[in-house]
Amino acid sequence: MSRILIIEDEQSIAELERDYLEISGYVVDIENSGDKGLQRALTNDYDLIILDLMLPKVDGFEICRRIRSEKDIPIVMVSAKKEDIDKIRGLGLGADDYIIKPFSPSEMVARVKAHLARYERLMGRRETKNDEVRIRGLMIDKTARRVFVNEKEVVFTTKEFDLLTHLAMNPNRVYSKEQLFDLLWGMDAMGEIATVTVHIRKLREKIEQDPSNPQYIETIWGAGYRFRI
């Protein structure tokens, strides 16, 4: 059974989330403070983390950043903050989803199931010989899900890796934000188109020598993005 960690300071909300997830067959742990939640997330093996933003000791943004620097697991942020800047910041730090309070517990469970299923499909791909994509100084190991820039390994989140691989596998083709969102997040995904822009920016920061003058991922104004070879 999949293990889920809920980091939420409002005990009643945490318990409601736990009850719905346990009914769906998940093993669930709860932490109410940011520092303890972060420690537990880093020292235990979880399949997904539900993370509130407004937490005592350490806030959700910092927790997300720390977890993402060490682990590649789905992170679902929940918050009463509705501002786009908070969504963009959370997604930019590596969160896979952002749910605004108040929300339906059944909707939360549906999102959790979708992220776990997609992650399991991605991690379940196994090949006897590593499938690699090499373009100039960039090497993408599709089998091991590792990326090297000028022979130096760079860490990518699940969605960053999938987006980079898709673009590199389809060079010189222009994709709109909407096309990339549908391809990578799914037609039934519950998220924001703005996450595509955030992920493109993160890719450029990691693979481009000068992100403001990209040599790999180009912006085609009014159309979308293209991976140039």
Side-chain angles (χ1 to χ4, degrees):
M1 292 185 291
S2 296
R3 292 187 64 198
I4 296 174
L5 173 63
I6 297 174
I7 308 177
E8 167 67 64
D9 63 331
E10 295 187 47
Q11 187 66 22
S12 60
I13 293 178
E15 290 177 351
L16 180 63
E17 293 172 347
R18 180 194 61 195
D19 291 345
Y20 271 80
L21 289 167
E22 287 183 342
I23 289 172
S24 298
Y26 300 110
V27 176
V28 183
D29 294 326
I30 294 175
E31 285 293 349
N32 300 121
S33 65
D35 55 343
K36 292 182 179 179
L38 175 59
Q39 181 181 11
R40 193 162 188 170
L42 295 178
T43 56
N44 292 272
D45 291 327
Y46 288 101
D47 298 291
L48 181 142
I49 294 176
I50 298 175
L51 175 63
D52 187 31
L53 281 185
M54 304 301 291
L55 294 164
K57 306 291 185 180
V58 183
D59 68 27
F61 289 124
E62 177 62 16
I63 293 173
C64 181
R65 186 189 68 78
R66 291 282 303 279
I67 294 173
R68 187 56 74 218
S69 69
E70 298 188 27
K71 295 191 175 186
D72 182 13
I73 59 174
I75 298 175
V76 177
M77 279 190 170
V78 295
S79 176
K81 292 188 172 184
K82 300 181 180 180
E83 292 79 5
D84 287 342
I85 187 64
D86 294 307
K87 296 180 186 178
I88 292 173
R89 184 182 177 191
L91 295 170
L93 287 171
D96 296 275
D97 205 347
Y98 190 105
I99 307 177
I100 297 175
K101 296 179 181 178
F103 54 83
S104 163
S106 58
E107 176 190 346
M108 182 268 297
V109 172
R111 295 198 190 198
V112 165
K113 288 182 177 179
H115 285 295
L116 285 172
R118 185 171 293 114
Y119 183 79
E120 289 169 1
R121 288 197 301 271
L122 293 170
M123 297 304 292
R125 296 171 183 168
R126 294 293 183 267
E127 300 178 34
T128 57
K129 183 178 179 180
N130 284 20
D131 186 4
E132 299 177 354
V133 179
R134 295 178 181 269
I135 302 174
R136 300 193 294 279
L138 177 67
M139 194 280 278
I140 305 170
D141 186 334
K142 295 170 59 183
T143 308
R145 297 184 66 82
R146 301 172 71 187
V147 179
F148 295 83
V149 180
N150 296 323
E151 300 185 355
K152 181 180 180 181
E153 185 170 8
V154 180
V155 178
F156 287 77
T157 67
T158 300
K159 282 295 186 292
E160 289 171 356
F161 182 89
D162 294 341
L163 179 57
L164 175 63
T165 301
H166 179 78
L167 291 172
M169 291 289 292
N170 297 275
N172 298 325
R173 176 175 175 178
V174 178
Y175 288 92
S176 68
K177 295 178 184 178
E178 291 76 13
Q179 287 175 317
L180 291 174
F181 186 82
D182 289 344
L183 285 167
L184 276 300
W185 281 264
M187 290 290 292
D188 58 345
M190 292 171 269
E192 302 285 341
I193 294 295
T195 191
V196 175
T197 303
V198 172
H199 280 72
I200 290 291
R201 175 174 58 80
K202 299 296 287 188
L203 290 185
R204 285 172 172 164
E205 291 174 353
K206 292 181 178 183
I207 69 172
E208 301 282 2
Q209 183 175 359
D210 179 5
S212 63
N213 184 30
Q215 301 301 304
Y216 290 108
I217 303 175
E218 299 178 314
T219 297
I220 308 301
W221 297 108
Y225 302 102
R226 175 177 65 194
F227 195 98
R228 183 170 66 86
I229 60 172

